[in-house]
Amino acid sequence: MMSLFFYYLFLIPLSFYVDFWLTMCFMFFGFFYFFSVSHFFTFFSSLSYSFGGDLLSMCFVFLSIWIVILMFMASFSIYSLNNYPYEFAFVCLVLLMFLIFSFCTTNIFLFYIFFESSLIPTIILIFGWGYQPERISAGFYLLFYTLFASLPMLIGIFYVYYICNTMFYFLIAVDSSFFLYLSLVFAFFVKMPMIFFHLWLPSAHVEAPISGSMILAGILLKLGGYGLMRVFLFLYPVGCVYNYIWISLSLFGVFLVGFICLAQTDIKSLIAYSSVGHMGLVLCGILTLNTWGLCGSLVLMIGHGLCSSGLFCLANISYERVQSRSFYINSGLITFMPSMSLFWFLLSANNMACPPSLNLLGEIMLINSIMGWCTLSFFFLSFSSFLSCCYSIYLYSASQHGHLYSCIKSVSSGCVREFILIFYHWFPLNFIILSSDIFVLWI
């Protein structure tokens, strides 16, 4: 575990002395090396200095490294325009270190520290490389929503330590009340985000640069799900009593978000709201506290991280050429960028959970889990699945078909870097399912 930490830690000062692309090549090499030597055990292994990893941790660690590598590849304009490329690489690598620490710690207080620390590089990305002046308010939305929910969590962690004299996940045993339960889970509800606490997410996505959108959709939302899976190790008894409140709210939210997506005119805003819907389904699966729900949540979080990040990359590829994210201007792209239209179709299909994507496997497992919890949830699940199909088709058809905007006169099929970038999202999303049995081993 320490070799993984130190490899990426020493890349941080190196990023100021080597080329932007050489940094990315070092990250690729590290990813494939550590992926080949790591053990995806169902128990915590490689323990040292209260850090270690089980299958759940390692899945998210490697997803984090993969998404950060693709962030470098997607942010070519920063390098080509010389828009502080070395500072950008520094911020991305610091964020990666915080994420790896968050997923690998076995101490709930250290998890809180790294969980909150990941906010700082994210806000620097939005403030420093964002698009419009509204990025300031979007960054403050993100900051204060998260901080408001996190202070009760800090107090709850101190109370747990006072009672149990330990912060190691697996040794905590506490008679939890509703207030302790609420203080520990509310921060994760806001981070995922749960419906009615989601207002920071669309504004942050719309104002963030492509790298910020990728890391937000790919990893930072998953911190909430990962944290819930850890705290329910000792909140299980009280969770069985009160979880029905949040499951009911999230089921309604998934249904509601489908209609909100269909009303969007901004491509990034639609993809951001679809993330709220998928995370609502993940939240329901985790809160059912059964095997299907927890395994399905892990699968769907990994699938959504790749699919949503890929859709944001496609939206950015169009934005760099058309200078707009509006559906009214980004229409008829199948004639403007015919080769890229195939990837729009593939990722839109994966977003609605078509086979053989990880999204399909995750949604099947989660629907099993939620139906097992209460058969009446069938109404919300069926309508939300139908609406998910509707807004994915709307995303593809509104952007690819129709009349081409009159100011666009040329054809730009995309460069090799962009095709490789989208392929690196699509390939693992559809081929990891061949060894999907690994995801159900950790329970």
Side-chain angles (χ1 to χ4, degrees):
M1 189 57 68
M2 285 296 140
S3 59
L4 176 70
F5 289 165
F6 278 104
Y7 182 87
Y8 286 103
L9 191 63
F10 282 111
L11 267 183
I12 295 175
L14 190 67
S15 65
F16 282 100
Y17 297 100
V18 299
D19 186 65
F20 192 75
W21 297 113
L22 197 55
T23 305
M24 192 182 76
C25 291
F26 280 128
M27 293 183 71
F28 259 120
F29 173 77
F31 174 85
F32 287 114
Y33 172 73
F34 289 110
F35 188 80
S36 62
V37 300
S38 292
H39 303 290
F40 290 82
F41 290 135
T42 56
F43 50 86
F44 259 90
S45 60
S46 307
L47 286 167
S48 56
Y49 298 99
S50 78
F51 288 98
D54 60 355
L55 190 144
L56 182 63
S57 300
M58 299 312 287
C59 284
F60 285 121
V61 165
F62 287 114
L63 180 64
S64 303
I65 298 170
W66 189 249
I67 294 292
V68 172
I69 292 169
L70 297 180
M71 281 167 59
F72 277 82
M73 198 180 290
S75 302
F76 178 72
S77 60
I78 291 174
Y79 178 69
S80 61
L81 300 173
N82 200 26
N83 185 13
Y84 301 100
Y86 297 109
E87 290 80 358
F88 174 79
F90 171 75
V91 170
C92 289
L93 287 167
V94 169
L95 177 56
L96 175 62
M97 288 309 302
F98 284 141
L99 290 170
I100 293 175
F101 287 148
S102 300
F103 290 127
C104 289
T105 184
T106 59
N107 184 305
I108 192 170
F109 180 66
L110 287 179
F111 173 74
Y112 173 84
I113 295 294
F114 297 127
F115 173 78
E116 291 304 312
S117 299
S118 64
L119 269 179
I120 300 167
T122 310
I123 288 175
I124 292 172
L125 279 177
I126 294 174
F127 283 177
W129 288 273
Y131 298 123
Q132 282 84 19
E134 289 83 4
R135 66 181 184 270
I136 306 297
S137 60
F140 284 134
Y141 251 54
L142 167 63
L143 179 67
F144 285 103
Y145 259 91
T146 309
L147 286 182
F148 170 75
S150 296
L151 183 61
M153 183 186 173
L154 181 63
I155 298 168
I157 290 171
F158 287 157
Y159 176 77
V160 165
Y161 182 69
Y162 176 76
I163 298 297
C164 302
N165 293 313
T166 183
M167 291 187 183
F168 185 64
Y169 291 128
F170 303 98
L171 293 180
I172 296 173
V174 58
D175 293 330
S176 46
S177 65
F178 176 73
F179 296 106
L180 177 62
Y181 160 80
L182 190 61
S183 68
L184 288 175
V185 300
F186 187 61
F188 302 126
F189 289 162
V190 172
K191 193 72 173 180
M192 286 196 71
M194 191 171 71
I195 191 73
F196 304 128
F197 302 104
H198 70 282
L199 298 176
W200 63 269
L201 184 70
S203 62
H205 270 306
V206 168
E207 302 305 329
I210 176 59
S211 52
S213 292
M214 288 172 70
I215 201 70
L216 265 174
I219 306 299
L220 294 179
L221 302 187
K222 315 303 178 280
L223 272 171
Y226 175 82
L228 282 174
M229 289 179 178
R230 292 303 188 203
V231 298
F232 274 120
L233 289 168
F234 55 90
L235 290 180
Y236 184 87
V238 70
C240 292
V241 178
Y242 294 113
N243 279 357
Y244 74 93
I245 303 169
W246 319 113
I247 297 177
S248 307
L249 194 60
S250 295
L251 280 171
F252 174 68
V254 174
F255 170 69
L256 188 64
V257 160
F259 290 106
I260 296 174
C261 284
L262 288 171
Q264 297 304 309
T265 58
D266 185 297
I267 295 179
K268 282 185 81 171
S269 185
L270 189 152
I271 302 168
Y273 274 110
S274 75
S275 295
V276 178
H278 285 110
M279 286 297 104
L281 199 60
V282 167
L283 186 60
C284 291
I286 294 172
L287 295 178
T288 55
L289 297 176
N290 57 32
T291 305
W292 275 109
L294 293 170
C295 293
S297 298
L298 172 60
V299 174
L300 187 57
M301 279 194 282
I302 293 172
H304 172 264
L306 293 165
C307 182
S308 187
S309 175
L311 284 169
F312 278 118
C313 287
L314 285 169
N316 184 67
I317 289 168
S318 301
Y319 177 77
E320 286 178 348
R321 288 160 175 79
V322 185
Q323 296 302 309
S324 173
R325 293 185 303 268
S326 171
F327 278 113
Y328 300 116
I329 295 176
N330 283 278
S331 61
L333 292 181
I334 196 167
T335 54
F336 177 59
M337 304 178 69
S339 304
M340 200 58 76
S341 185
L342 171 66
F343 285 111
W344 272 103
F345 172 74
L346 290 173
L347 286 174
S348 298
N350 286 338
N351 197 45
M352 70 167 91
C354 283
S357 66
L358 280 178
N359 297 43
L360 174 71
L361 178 66
E363 287 198 16
I364 289 173
M365 296 170 84
L366 288 171
I367 288 170
N368 268 302
S369 163
I370 300 164
M371 287 288 291
W373 175 77
C374 177
T375 51
L376 293 176
S377 59
F378 170 78
F379 297 105
F380 288 109
L381 289 171
S382 57
F383 276 111
S384 62
S385 297
F386 172 71
L387 290 168
S388 169
C389 182
C390 289
Y391 64 69
S392 297
I393 293 172
Y394 167 58
L395 171 64
Y396 176 74
S397 60
S399 61
Q400 302 305 303
H401 299 295
H403 293 292
L404 194 62
Y405 183 51
S406 58
C407 290
I408 303 171
K409 296 297 183 186
S410 63
V411 173
S412 173
S413 290
C415 60
V416 174
R417 172 189 61 85
E418 291 167 341
F419 287 117
I420 292 174
L421 169 65
I422 305 302
F423 181 77
Y424 280 172
H425 282 100
W426 175 82
F427 183 80
L429 178 61
N430 287 272
F431 281 84
I432 293 177
I433 198 168
L434 296 176
S435 61
S436 56
D437 53 335
I438 191 172
F439 296 121
V440 299
L441 295 177
W442 67 279
I443 295 295

